[in-house]
Amino acid sequence: MDLTWSEFERTDMRVGTIIEVNDFPEARKPAYQLTIDFGSEIGIRKSSAQITVHYKKEDLLNRQIISVVNFPKKQIGKFMSECLVLGAIGKEGDVILLAPDFKIENGLRIG
């Protein structure tokens, strides 16, 4: 089913900077718990991301990423995910994060 332009426009994708990374041992698949700064308009959000194949915790800290920030919160075990971190999914299920090429202001909208 095709997506209409108005439906796409309702998807709020923003640039954010990862400010904290923690292991998520309770997750069914290997994942990290991320705390992401989306600037003054959106604020700080948390997310769970299955990105352990290509990324170490120390490589993620202060890295900018792209996330959808207007999905409903999702309970993952005892953790509440507040946004969806975007990435390309490889054939083996490994994820490569989507990110801006240059450091830009947190909270900028993706269009």
Side-chain angles (χ1 to χ4, degrees):
M1 180 164 95
D2 291 337
L3 190 67
T4 67
W5 184 253
S6 63
E7 289 172 324
F8 172 74
E9 286 180 319
R10 290 180 35 221
T11 305
D12 191 0
M13 293 178 282
R14 303 287 182 123
V15 174
T17 298
I18 299 170
I19 59 173
E20 186 177 348
V21 183
N22 294 303
D23 291 322
F24 192 6
E26 299 87 9
R28 283 183 281 150
K29 295 181 180 179
Y32 294 127
Q33 293 175 347
L34 307 176
T35 303
I36 306 162
D37 181 358
F38 290 101
S40 59
E41 182 183 348
I42 305 291
I44 306 294
R45 301 273 177 100
K46 294 183 182 253
S47 185
S48 169
Q50 297 172 358
I51 54 175
T52 59
V53 172
H54 295 291
Y55 302 97
K56 292 183 168 72
K57 289 190 298 186
E58 56 270 16
D59 298 330
L60 293 167
L61 201 56
N62 299 314
R63 180 185 181 101
Q64 287 193 305
I65 47 86
I66 308 297
S67 292
V68 176
V69 297
N70 66 332
F71 280 141
K73 295 177 182 178
K74 182 176 181 180
Q75 187 79 42
I76 303 171
K78 295 180 180 180
F79 183 78
M80 183 65 73
S81 186
E82 303 169 315
C83 61
L84 175 67
V85 175
L86 298 178
I89 302 171
K91 291 179 182 177
E92 303 296 320
D94 54 314
V95 177
I96 303 296
L97 293 170
L98 299 185
D101 286 337
F102 306 100
K103 184 151 180 68
I104 56 177
E105 182 182 338
N106 287 333
L108 288 181
R109 189 176 174 101
I110 304 302

